[in-house]
Amino acid sequence: MKCTSDSADSCRYGCDAIALTKLAPTTKPEPDPKPSTKPPLVEAKNLALRIPIFKSSDRSIGISPTRLLGELYFGGTKRAVATLLEDVSFTVQSGERLGIVGANGAGKSTLLRVLAGIYSPTGGQLTVRGSAKGLFDVSLGMLNDATGLENIYMRGLQMGLDLDEIKALVPGIVEFTELGDAIEKPFNTYSSGMRLRLAVSISTMIEPDILLLDEWLGAGDARFSKKVQERMNGLVEKSRGLIIATHNEKLMKSLCTHGLVLSKGMCVFHGPLDQALAYYGETCAGS
Amino acid sequence: MNLNSTLDLNRWHRWLYVAWFNFVVTYRKTTLGPFWLLAGPALFIVILGSIFTRVNDVPGDIFLPYMAVGVILWTLIGACVTKSTLVFHRNRAQILQGSMTLIEISVVDIISVFLQFLHQSLILVVVFAIYGLNFSWYLLVTLLGIVLIVVNGFWLSLVFGILGARYRDLNQFVAAVMRVAFLATPILWMATSGRGQQLGIYLIANPFYHFLEIVRAPLLGMPISMTSWIVALSITAAGLILANEMYKRFGRLVPLWV
C-alpha cells in the first residue's frame, strides 16, 4: 500500500493553510485539449479497499429455541473479508471535474473518503497533489451546549485553522447563516433548519484545492438554498479540481467534464461525462 | 505513518483550545459549573477520610493527606483509562469528516482529562494548607510522576481507543476492572502500616501502585522504591512502543469501525 502526497500530510488534514490562499478561479470547466505536461491532481492506480469483517454465522430457525437464544446472545460470528473497492484507476487533471455515478452501495462515498485520506487504501497507489477536502456529514460534530459562535470556533480549530484565521472568517460566516442574535444561543435551542444553516456555513468556510462532494449541499428554505447554491458554485470555481458523487444527472451534466462509473466497488468506466452517463444508463441502471 | 509524522507540534495550542473548550462546555448546563468537580472528591475525602483513619488506626494528620492525594490521582488515572476505550467513538464526527487525526483526538482527550485534574488539585492545595507540606527539591519528583501518568494516558488512549473502536466490550471490561483496582490499590488503606504490609509481592504486580507512589511519596516525604521506578518506566516505554505498532497496523481501520 502506498499513499503519497506532495504537501506533507495534506491528504490527512485536508485543510492546510494552502487552502486559504486565494486561487485563480478556473474560468473554463473545459479540459485542456492539449495533453497536459503538469502532473495530474489526483492519480489513482488499482485502488483497493478490503476490510476484515465479522459475519454472523448462518442461523437456522429450525434448531431448538434454546440454542438459537444462545447463539444470538453470544453472537456466533466468523471472519470474512469485505471488498469495498477493487481495481479503481483514474486521474484528475487540473481543472477537470469528475462525476462519480453508481447505484446505492456501489462505493461512491467510500471512494470519496479514500480520496480525502480518511480511509487508507489497502491496495494500489493513490497520489493527491494539494489539499483534498470533502464536505461529508457536515451537520455532525456540533457541541449541543455550546453557542453557535462557539461551534464556529470549535469546528474551525478542529479543521486546522488558527484563532486569528477563524476570527477573520467569523463575520462572514455569521452573516451567511442569517441567524442574527441566535448565534449567541446554545446550539440545542436551534431548529433543524437553523442547525443545517450553521453547519453548511461552517463547512464551506475553507476553500480546498480539490473539492470532494458527496451529493450537492442544499439547505433550508428556497432563498437560503439559493445562497448555498451560489456559495457552492464559488467553491467549485475556486477549486482546481472537483470530484462529486451524485444521483442528480442534470447537476452532473452542468458541473462535470468527466465521469466514473462504479459498480460493486469496481470502476467499470472512466471517460468523458456523456459517454460515462450513457454507459451507466445502458448497463447499470437497467439491471 | 508513525507517531512522529502526524504529531505536529506547531498545532499544540489549537489542541489546548479545543480541550479547554470541551472542559468548559461539559459543565455549562449546571448552576455551579466545574465546582462539581471539587464537591464530589471533597465530600469523599472528608467523610471516608474520617472513617478510614479510624479503620486503619492511623493518625488523621498522616492519613488524610495520604488519602486525598490518592483519591485525586485515582480520578486522573481512572479518567485516562476509562475514557480511552470510547475516545474514537466519541469523536466519530471528526474522524469521518477527516478534520482530526487519531493522534490529535487522543491528545485533546488527554489534555481535557489533565485540565480536570488541575482543577481538582485545588483540593490538595487546601489539604496541604491545613496539614502542612515540607518544601524541598524532592517535591519536583511529584511533577515528574504526573508527567509520567499523562504520557501513559496518551499511549493508553491510542491502544484502548483502537481496541475499543473494534470491540465495544472493552469499555465494560475496563470499567469493571477499574472499580476493583480502586479498592485493590493502597488509597483507602496504607501499604506501610497494619495488614497492608503483608501484601508486598501482590503490590508489585499492581501497576497503578507504582505510578501512584512516584507522585504521592514525595508529597508525604517518603522514599520511592527502586522497583516502582523500574516498573513505571518500563510500562511507559513498552506502552509507547505498543501504541506505535498498533497505530501503524490498525489505525487505518478505525474510521471503518467507529
Side-chain angles (χ1 to χ4, degrees):
Chain A
M1 182 205 91
K2 208 177 163 200
C3 175
T4 49
S5 174
D6 269 5
S7 61
D9 286 331
S10 68
C11 142
R12 252 287 168 215
Y13 299 126
C15 42
D16 288 331
I18 323 161
L20 286 169
T21 55
K22 291 274 177 279
L23 296 159
T26 48
T27 41
K28 260 190 173 180
E30 298 302 320
D32 202 344
K34 291 170 290 183
S36 168
T37 47
K38 277 195 295 183
L41 280 181
V42 180
E43 213 171 347
K45 216 187 252 174
N46 307 104
L47 221 52
L49 182 64
R50 292 182 205 88
I51 58 158
I53 52 157
F54 291 79
K55 225 165 58 175
S56 49
S57 60
D58 310 316
R59 292 194 188 92
S60 52
I61 303 296
I63 56 171
S64 70
T66 45
R67 243 182 86 192
L68 180 68
L69 281 178
E71 265 190 29
L72 284 173
Y73 184 77
F74 291 109
T77 53
K78 60 182 182 189
R79 286 192 74 116
V81 173
T83 303
L84 302 187
L85 291 176
E86 177 87 60
D87 206 17
V88 177
S89 305
F90 65 92
T91 54
V92 177
Q93 301 288 345
S94 190
E96 263 183 34
R97 293 169 188 175
L98 181 70
I100 305 176
V101 280
N104 289 327
K108 301 188 295 291
S109 305
T110 310
L111 179 58
L112 285 174
R113 285 222 162 88
V114 169
L115 296 175
I118 298 166
Y119 300 156
S120 325
T122 49
Q125 275 186 26
L126 174 67
T127 313
V128 179
R129 295 184 174 86
S131 70
K133 164 87 183 148
L135 299 183
F136 313 128
D137 304 320
V138 289
S139 42
L140 284 183
M142 294 288 194
L143 284 172
N144 269 329
D145 289 331
T147 66
L149 195 61
E150 287 166 335
N151 268 304
I152 297 176
Y153 274 91
M154 193 66 185
R155 291 283 296 275
L157 286 167
Q158 289 176 345
M159 287 193 275
L161 299 177
D162 278 321
L163 279 187
D164 297 340
E165 292 172 320
I166 303 172
K167 208 178 267 175
L169 287 169
V170 157
I173 298 170
V174 172
E175 203 206 314
F176 190 80
T177 59
E178 297 178 13
L179 288 173
D181 295 338
I183 201 78
E184 300 278 5
K185 294 212 170 75
F187 186 70
N188 55 9
T189 62
Y190 288 13
S191 71
S192 53
M194 288 159 84
R195 284 172 195 218
L196 201 59
R197 258 150 58 180
L198 182 65
V200 169
S201 314
I202 290 176
S203 19
T204 52
M205 69 180 163
I206 284 180
E207 295 161 359
D209 288 346
I210 303 158
L211 185 63
L212 309 171
L213 288 178
D214 197 354
E215 287 296 340
W216 191 251
L217 282 186
D221 49 54
R223 203 176 54 83
F224 189 75
S225 170
K226 196 167 159 254
K227 255 175 78 174
V228 174
Q229 199 87 333
E230 280 161 16
R231 167 75 71 101
M232 295 290 290
N233 284 332
L235 276 185
V236 171
E237 281 299 319
K238 281 173 189 150
S239 68
R240 285 195 286 148
L242 167 78
I243 301 177
I244 179 171
T246 177
H247 288 290
N248 186 341
E249 208 168 292
K250 213 175 112 193
L251 175 74
M252 195 168 275
K253 273 181 187 155
S254 71
L255 278 175
C256 302
T257 57
H258 289 69
L260 178 81
V261 185
L262 279 183
S263 172
K264 289 173 187 146
M266 306 243 281
C267 167
V268 289
F269 188 89
H270 174 232
L273 184 73
D274 305 339
Q275 291 173 32
L277 285 177
Y279 181 88
Y280 179 63
E282 279 167 27
T283 56
C284 309
S287 61
Chain B
M1 272 185 277
N2 61 39
L3 290 183
N4 294 329
S5 73
T6 45
L7 201 63
D8 182 356
L9 286 176
N10 292 324
R11 291 158 63 99
W12 68 270
H13 57 281
R14 280 182 215 143
W15 303 339
L16 204 60
Y17 290 130
V18 175
W20 172 251
F21 209 78
N22 280 329
F23 173 73
V24 173
V25 166
T26 311
Y27 298 94
R28 166 95 20 116
K29 278 287 184 75
T30 54
T31 321
L32 296 178
F35 169 76
W36 285 115
L37 277 178
L38 301 177
L43 196 68
F44 197 96
I45 291 162
V46 170
I47 307 280
L48 291 185
S50 42
I51 292 175
F52 276 81
T53 182
R54 286 182 182 83
V55 170
N56 291 312
D57 201 16
V58 179
D61 56 342
I62 293 177
F63 186 73
L64 272 172
Y66 171 87
M67 192 189 120
V69 176
V71 167
I72 302 298
L73 275 179
W74 189 262
T75 319
L76 170 67
I77 295 173
C80 280
V81 177
T82 44
K83 277 189 88 186
S84 67
T85 53
L86 291 180
V87 58
F88 297 136
H89 287 294
R90 273 185 281 114
N91 292 284
R92 190 170 176 271
Q94 283 72 36
I95 293 175
L96 291 185
Q97 287 162 350
S99 52
M100 287 170 90
T101 65
L102 298 186
I103 307 264
E104 287 174 328
I105 289 170
S106 283
V107 168
V108 165
D109 212 52
I110 289 302
I111 296 176
S112 41
V113 169
F114 185 67
L115 286 174
Q116 191 178 325
F117 165 75
L118 280 185
H119 194 68
Q120 290 187 326
S121 49
L122 287 175
I123 293 177
L124 297 182
V125 173
V126 173
V127 167
F128 282 107
I130 295 171
Y131 292 100
L133 180 67
N134 288 327
F135 286 98
S136 72
W137 289 112
Y138 186 38
L139 281 181
L140 289 179
V141 176
T142 291
L143 299 182
L144 183 67
I146 292 171
V147 171
L148 264 186
I149 291 180
V150 171
V151 169
N152 277 276
F154 169 66
W155 74 252
L156 255 179
S157 173
L158 271 179
V159 170
F160 279 11
I162 291 172
L163 282 175
R166 175 63 192 86
Y167 302 100
R168 302 225 181 176
D169 315 54
L170 187 68
N171 181 46
Q172 303 291 334
F173 173 72
V174 165
V177 168
M178 290 309 278
R179 272 195 295 274
V180 176
F182 172 68
L183 291 172
T185 308
I187 293 168
L188 297 179
W189 47 277
M190 295 177 101
T192 48
S193 75
R195 296 266 170 152
Q197 293 172 72
Q198 295 165 9
L199 288 169
I201 301 283
Y202 155 79
L203 272 182
I204 291 172
N206 181 348
F208 300 113
Y209 169 68
H210 301 290
F211 286 101
L212 212 56
E213 270 305 285
I214 291 175
V215 181
R216 186 170 57 185
L219 284 170
L220 306 172
M222 316 268 263
I224 303 169
S225 80
M226 202 57 196
T227 324
S228 292
W229 280 113
I230 294 172
V231 173
L233 290 174
S234 322
I235 289 179
T236 311
L240 285 172
I241 294 168
L242 178 67
N244 194 21
E245 284 301 309
M246 293 261 305
Y247 182 71
K248 270 197 291 195
R249 198 168 293 184
F250 302 113
R252 59 171 197 85
L253 290 173
V254 170
L256 294 157
W257 285 335
V258 291

